[in-house]
């Protein structure tokens, strides 16, 4: 992921954001964002999601993938997986779309305390292992075949619940969820 660092810096500047403003929106310190932009730290998937939303782009663009392909089929083994902060993720869709599907491998103990809040929606389906999903104050343990779909403005945290880790299908959007309970 060596090309991610300059893209992060270029997108921030293109959006007219200072290092401090972008860091504050992402819930990072300016020093941490600076290390991401210079390649001295590798961003985790939640950080990439947050920065992609702030910069109005997709993870695919941050990773340097090209515009949408005319072929909607993604063949197994065609793309190299990416790893960050212990997570391994495989692109499972074509780049440049509003919906970003991934296959995630979440090892035990990786990013267990990281809480995220951002616009959009997330959907996940557990393929193997057990996943602990914290939504607000509620903690859910999901096993193979279980899924969750939620508005990502809800504070949330993902962690493998067992030492064997967890494998899941994960889809996120950059779009804000509609208000299901509008207030007059």
């Amino acid at each position: 992921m060596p090309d991610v660092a300059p893209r992060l810096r270029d997108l921030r500047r293109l959006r007219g954001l200072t290092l401090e403003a972008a860091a504050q929106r992402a819930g990072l310190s300016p020093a941490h964002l600076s290390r991401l932009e210079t390649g001295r730290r590798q961003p985790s998937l939640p950080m990439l999601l947050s920065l992609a939303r702030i910069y109005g782009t997709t993870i695919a663009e941050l990773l340097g993938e090209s515009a949408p392909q005319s072929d909607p089929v993604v063949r197994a083994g065609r793309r190299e997986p990416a790893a960050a902060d212990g997570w391994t993720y495989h692109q499972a869709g074509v780049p440049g779309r509003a919906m970003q599907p991934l296959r995630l491998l979440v090892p035990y103990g990786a990013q267990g305390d990281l809480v995220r809040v951002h616009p959009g929606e997330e959907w996940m389906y557990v393929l193997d292992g057990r996943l602990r999903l914290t939504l607000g104050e509620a903690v859910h343990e999901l096993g193979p075949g279980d899924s969750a779909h939620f508005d990502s403005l809800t504070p949330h945290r993902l962690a493998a619940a067992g030492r064997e880790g967890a494998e899941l299908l994960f889809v996120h959007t950059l779009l804000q969820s509609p208000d299901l309970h509008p207030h007059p």
Side-chain angles (χ1 to χ4, degrees):
M1 295 182 20
D3 296 334
V4 173
R7 273 193 201 86
L8 290 174
R9 184 185 56 247
D10 292 345
L11 282 168
R12 177 181 56 78
R13 289 176 176 167
L14 186 66
R15 301 308 187 261
L17 293 170
T18 65
L19 190 66
E20 292 76 15
Q24 181 181 11
R25 289 183 188 183
L28 303 170
S29 71
H32 189 92
L33 182 56
S34 176
R35 286 189 293 273
L36 293 173
E37 290 185 356
T38 58
R40 290 180 298 186
R41 285 275 331 232
Q42 291 295 313
S44 64
L45 177 62
M47 281 182 208
L48 284 174
L49 286 169
S50 180
L51 292 168
R53 286 183 178 97
I54 290 165
Y55 300 153
T57 189
T58 64
I59 286 181
E61 184 181 344
L62 288 178
L63 295 176
E65 296 181 357
S66 58
Q69 303 164 331
S70 58
D71 185 359
V73 176
V74 177
R75 301 284 178 199
R78 284 284 175 92
R79 296 194 179 141
E80 290 295 317
D85 286 350
W87 291 26
T88 302
Y89 51 100
H90 302 260
Q91 290 287 339
V94 295
R97 305 282 184 182
M99 187 173 65
Q100 295 289 302
L102 302 164
R103 184 171 56 94
L104 291 177
L105 302 174
V106 181
Y108 184 73
Q111 300 181 9
D113 295 331
L114 186 64
V115 176
R116 301 313 253 165
V117 177
H118 50 81
E121 292 184 35
E122 294 184 20
W123 174 88
M124 59 199 64
Y125 178 91
V126 178
L127 296 168
D128 192 35
R130 303 204 60 76
L131 181 77
R132 182 171 298 111
L133 169 64
T134 304
L135 293 172
E137 299 295 320
V139 178
H140 308 274
E141 191 165 308
L142 287 72
D146 292 340
S147 63
H149 185 182
F150 56 93
D151 184 314
S152 45
L153 282 175
T154 303
H156 56 283
R157 179 174 54 219
L158 300 175
R163 295 217 175 268
E164 72 282 0
E167 180 178 8
L168 56 141
L169 295 177
F170 176 86
V171 178
H172 69 94
T173 67
L174 300 175
L175 306 173
Q176 181 59 49
S177 305
D179 188 354
L180 299 177
H181 308 285
H183 303 284

